[in-house]
Amino acid sequence: MSTNQTPYIGENSPLNRITTYFNALQSSAEEYLFVVDLDTNIFLLSDNFVKDFDFPANVVDDFDNLIMPFIHHDDREIFDKAMKDILSESKIKPITCEFRLLHSNGEYGWVNLNLMLGSDEYNQPLIFSGIIRRLDTPVKADNVTGLLKRNVFYADLQRELESHLNPHGAVMVIGLDNFNVITETYGHKFGDTAFRQIAQNITNVLPPDIRLYKLDGYMFGLFMPDAMPEEIEIIFASVQLCMREIRNVEDTIYCTASAGTAFYPSDANDVITLTRYAEVALEIARQKGRDQVAFFERETYDRWRYDIGMQNLMQNSIARGCEEFFLCYQPQVDAKDGRLLGAEALLRWYDQDGSVVAPMQFIPMLEKSRMIIPVGHWIIENAVITAKKWQKYMPDFQMSINISLYQLEERMFFPFVQDCLERHQIDPGTLTFELTESQRVYDWEFVNQQFSAFHDLGIKIAMDDFGTGYSTLGFLKNFNCDIIKIDKVFVDDILKSSFNKNLVKYTIMLCHSIGMEVCIEGVEEEDVYLYLRDECKADQIQGFYFGFPEREEVFERRLKNKS
Ligand code: C2E
Ligand code: CA
Ligand code: CA
């Protein structure tokens, strides 16, 4: 029978009797449906099938052949077999198979076909029906929380943005902090239950017309038309309360949430950018210490992007053997007579445009990303090579190298240093490691142990930035070091501040009494130098008054002229 003529279903055909049901069913189902009169082999297909697959007609009597060109070549046998199986008398169970169908957009998509036989009261097969489900369409709801997922969130937000002339409101993304630790500690089953409970609790505290969506991982999303920052803060405060309520049988589980918010139209007015900005704000809330909500700020975002860009560039630079890094050297002199003792190696980095970036801009990032480990090796290797070279001009030349606490935590650090000293045949007594302030240290015992090990090798240890951060008097009690370096902030106005005068003077006295030397940093003027020398009895001075950090070749000229 030709396809351009619709076959006649027949008045007494079972298809005729079920057409009404079929129509009702097809208008409410998302699947594609068909029924077949086994007597006439006429197929009745749902409208959505005809539309989505550009199928020739709703009623056909040659379905098997008509559908073949739509089925992927490799899957035709699978389909054929299923159609034969459903008709074989032994098969009374539904038949299921999967194959690829050619969609009207020209692409193949996987579908699942479910076939079922329908018999009359004498058990004679009359019809069979088929349900085709697309397997490539995204699932709309999350199966743990029951919340609608990101694709629906985007679609709903899009609709909201389009439904008003001047839409304004907020997009909020809520992320559970460290929830994976809970899953790892108590198992996935408990993790899922707790996550479902949190989702439910949050839903309950939201205004009734605000819907919660499940985004990727342990993240939720919502949007709130007309919301002002104060309302977002109130909502977040309720979310924080929800988080306090999750419990295990034995333990109270402590888990916090952070959130980020972007406003439309002020921050952006398209779905994707708004959501991304809210996620950026979430990241910022986490960086600020979690358990808080942050609002998107263009300035922070630009800085953040700059940092990420710089991080990538540094990563590439490290992969090329720390190519764009270099060391500058700043003189350290004997306070008594201004005689050169050595230098501190200070790291610099060339940005893409050739400009030199100062370490305060990138060291925290290197530490956070642990890139300080490979760069730290490079610094030591190069500072040692330079020191060895300069000891030709000045045999007791002292090289000070900054060591971040993160480097000490790396187990391979000590053997690396040992090997480096060996390879370059340098006297360890001519090296000083300056422990620079980094983020919080948890294992002081290990850090001290490491420093003792370096001490045993003969390397001197200096406590940097004394008077700030971790580097305090209390710390000296437990820490094994040879030199303390007093920070520039105490030196800047020393001649005007009697507090700073006394602090520096008595710290030096105290250090001398326990056998430590003191180096004063940031000395820029002669009268300050003279005060530190005569009144305070400082041991060493480092500051612009005696020299800026200089490039290797510039500093080298200084030594050559001396020798
Ligand atoms: P820091 O270890 O306290 O180094 C001294 C800093 O003070 C240097 O800044 C130096 O240029 C500056 N300075 C020295 N004398 C004066 C002065 O008279 N006046 C003023 N205004 N500044 C003076 P720089 O090179 O920018 O280094 C900043 C910090 O970055 C260092 O502070 C150190 O904590 C860190 N850093 C530098 N190089 C390295 C490195 O190779 N490894 C590690 N982990 N950190 C480094
Ligand atoms: Ca230093
Ligand atoms: Ca310092």
Side-chain angles (χ1 to χ4, degrees):
M1 160 122 209
S2 93
T3 51
N4 28 17
Q5 205 180 339
T6 306
Y8 176 58
I9 287 180
E11 234 166 85
N12 294 323
S13 155
L15 290 191
N16 202 12
R17 274 177 267 139
I18 64 165
T19 304
T20 322
Y21 301 117
F22 186 78
N23 286 341
L25 210 57
Q26 69 157 325
S27 63
S28 60
E30 291 205 340
E31 289 85 7
Y32 307 106
L33 312 174
F34 63 81
V35 268
V36 189
D37 178 347
L38 284 175
D39 229 20
T40 57
N41 206 29
I42 291 176
F43 280 65
L44 185 58
L45 294 149
S46 61
D47 293 341
N48 58 354
F49 187 81
V50 174
K51 183 168 154 275
D52 289 359
F53 293 92
D54 267 347
F55 202 69
N58 272 89
V59 182
V60 294
D61 61 357
D62 199 14
F63 182 70
D64 298 20
N65 285 331
L66 284 173
I67 193 154
M68 267 314 157
F70 291 85
I71 298 175
H72 193 283
H73 192 269
D74 295 348
D75 304 337
R76 289 180 188 166
E77 255 178 53
I78 299 172
F79 175 78
D80 236 10
K81 183 168 182 306
M83 295 297 268
K84 286 200 177 95
D85 278 355
I86 193 71
L87 296 176
S88 77
E89 276 173 49
S90 57
K91 296 278 164 27
I92 40 164
K93 282 196 262 164
I95 303 280
T96 307
C97 67
E98 262 112 45
F99 55 91
R100 282 161 286 184
L101 258 188
L102 187 64
H103 205 258
S104 63
N105 66 6
E107 280 174 21
Y108 283 99
W110 281 98
V111 295
N112 165 281
L113 170 65
N114 217 300
L115 296 172
M116 184 77 178
L117 212 52
S119 309
D120 63 11
E121 65 262 45
Y122 309 108
N123 234 3
Q124 284 303 304
L126 275 183
I127 56 166
F128 76 84
S129 61
I131 302 174
I132 298 175
R133 274 189 202 93
R134 286 185 64 175
L135 299 176
D136 56 354
T137 44
V139 184
K140 288 191 173 168
D142 173 56
N143 55 11
V144 172
T145 57
L147 295 177
L148 294 170
K149 300 220 290 192
R150 188 182 277 270
N151 48 328
V152 192
F153 174 69
Y154 282 161
D156 289 356
L157 179 57
Q158 180 71 36
R159 213 169 305 123
E160 164 63 23
L161 295 178
E162 282 169 359
S163 64
H164 303 279
L165 207 54
N166 289 313
H168 48 92
V171 173
M172 186 176 187
V173 172
I174 303 167
L176 305 190
D177 303 321
N178 266 347
F179 194 78
N180 45 351
V181 174
I182 291 188
T183 309
E184 275 155 30
T185 315
Y186 299 101
H188 279 274
K189 199 159 166 245
F190 175 76
D192 283 356
T193 311
F195 190 53
R196 192 178 311 121
Q197 194 185 329
I198 291 169
Q200 190 57 55
N201 292 353
I202 297 179
T203 308
N204 292 345
V205 298
L206 291 179
D209 51 341
I210 302 300
R211 181 181 264 173
L212 190 69
Y213 301 82
K214 153 83 172 58
L215 307 183
D216 319 325
Y218 297 115
M219 269 194 341
F220 302 106
L222 59 95
F223 58 88
M224 225 179 140
D226 304 319
M228 304 297 280
E230 305 80 62
E231 286 165 277
I232 294 295
E233 271 164 2
I234 292 171
I235 289 203
F236 184 70
S238 328
V239 169
Q240 281 177 307
L241 286 178
C242 295
M243 299 305 296
R244 313 269 183 272
E245 282 172 19
I246 21 161
R247 305 261 184 281
N248 191 3
V249 193
E250 311 100 66
D251 308 296
T252 298
I253 289 162
Y254 191 69
C255 173
T256 56
S258 302
T261 303
F263 290 92
Y264 52 91
S266 55
D267 292 327
N269 46 22
D270 72 281
V271 170
I272 304 287
T273 315
L274 273 168
T275 314
R276 202 180 70 233
Y277 284 0
E279 284 168 354
V280 166
L282 166 65
E283 189 52 39
I284 289 165
R286 283 181 164 157
Q287 282 176 9
K288 283 186 179 164
R290 302 176 172 163
D291 200 15
Q292 56 190 291
V293 57
F295 298 110
F296 175 80
E297 281 166 23
R298 167 88 28 205
E299 225 173 83
T300 320
Y301 177 62
D302 289 344
R303 202 165 352 112
W304 199 61
R305 287 224 338 202
Y306 175 79
D307 281 354
I308 288 177
M310 189 157 80
Q311 189 165 334
N312 287 336
L313 288 172
M314 288 204 164
Q315 217 143 21
N316 293 336
S317 169
I318 291 166
R320 287 192 301 269
C322 293
E323 216 172 56
E324 282 88 17
F325 289 94
F326 66 100
L327 290 173
C328 275
Y329 298 90
Q330 186 181 24
Q332 291 176 328
V333 304
D334 188 329
K336 282 193 296 299
D337 47 15
R339 187 175 55 94
L340 183 76
L341 297 173
E344 176 177 3
L346 294 161
L347 189 62
R348 300 286 181 269
W349 184 71
Y350 282 120
D351 203 348
Q352 239 171 349
D353 60 3
S355 61
V356 175
V357 185
M360 290 330 262
Q361 261 180 283
F362 63 80
I363 297 254
M365 190 258 285
L366 287 183
E367 288 180 338
K368 214 167 137 218
S369 61
R370 304 281 152 162
M371 287 195 276
I372 192 70
I373 309 279
V375 179
H377 285 197
W378 180 91
I379 294 168
I380 292 176
E381 187 83 33
N382 283 274
V384 164
I385 291 173
T386 307
K388 182 77 188 169
K389 180 171 65 168
W390 289 349
Q391 282 165 6
K392 277 191 292 192
Y393 309 110
M394 187 180 150
D396 57 350
F397 184 89
Q398 295 282 327
M399 183 64 88
S400 291
I401 304 170
N402 290 292
I403 306 289
S404 129
L405 286 166
Y406 283 108
Q407 285 172 268
L408 284 189
E409 284 170 4
E410 185 222 354
R411 305 277 146 176
M412 292 311 289
F413 186 59
F414 184 77
F416 165 79
V417 173
Q418 237 177 345
D419 177 63
C420 181
L421 300 182
E422 190 95 349
R423 275 187 287 114
H424 298 292
Q425 287 295 301
I426 192 161
D427 172 8
T430 61
L431 299 178
T432 302
F433 278 180
E434 295 188 6
L435 178 59
T436 64
E437 155 101 272
S438 351
Q439 299 204 343
R440 201 152 282 288
V441 172
Y442 293 102
D443 194 354
W444 279 115
E445 208 179 309
F446 180 72
V447 168
N448 210 355
Q449 211 180 13
Q450 288 285 290
F451 267 108
S452 298
F454 287 119
H455 218 235
D456 293 345
L457 282 183
I459 297 174
K460 287 200 269 302
I461 306 299
M463 182 61 37
D464 213 344
D465 305 324
F466 187 80
T468 69
Y470 73 88
S471 183
T472 57
L473 272 184
F475 188 75
L476 279 185
K477 202 172 67 175
N478 310 314
F479 205 85
N480 242 333
C481 62
D482 308 278
I483 304 167
I484 70 154
K485 294 188 78 177
I486 295 186
D487 194 75
K488 184 175 177 300
V489 293
F490 301 105
V491 180
D492 276 344
D493 56 353
I494 193 161
L495 298 181
K496 285 186 226 116
S497 154
S498 58
F499 175 82
N500 284 356
K501 265 185 190 162
N502 287 330
L503 186 109
V504 172
K505 195 166 160 181
Y506 291 110
T507 305
I508 294 177
M509 268 171 73
L510 176 87
C511 287
H512 285 169
S513 75
I514 50 175
M516 286 182 193
E517 288 194 12
V518 178
C519 174
I520 314 280
E521 289 187 290
V523 178
E524 295 182 350
E525 285 147 12
E526 188 178 24
D527 47 357
V528 173
Y529 160 58
L530 295 176
Y531 178 81
L532 292 165
R533 181 187 73 180
D534 302 333
E535 299 293 321
C536 301
K537 310 278 185 277
D539 302 291
Q540 297 175 21
I541 305 281
Q542 181 181 342
F544 293 173
Y545 180 64
F546 287 100
F548 296 102
E550 292 163 351
R551 286 173 184 269
E552 188 177 324
E553 56 285 3
V554 178
F555 197 97
E556 196 163 307
R557 257 180 260 139
R558 189 190 270 272
L559 289 170
K560 281 181 180 163
N561 293 341
K562 266 203 172 66
S563 60

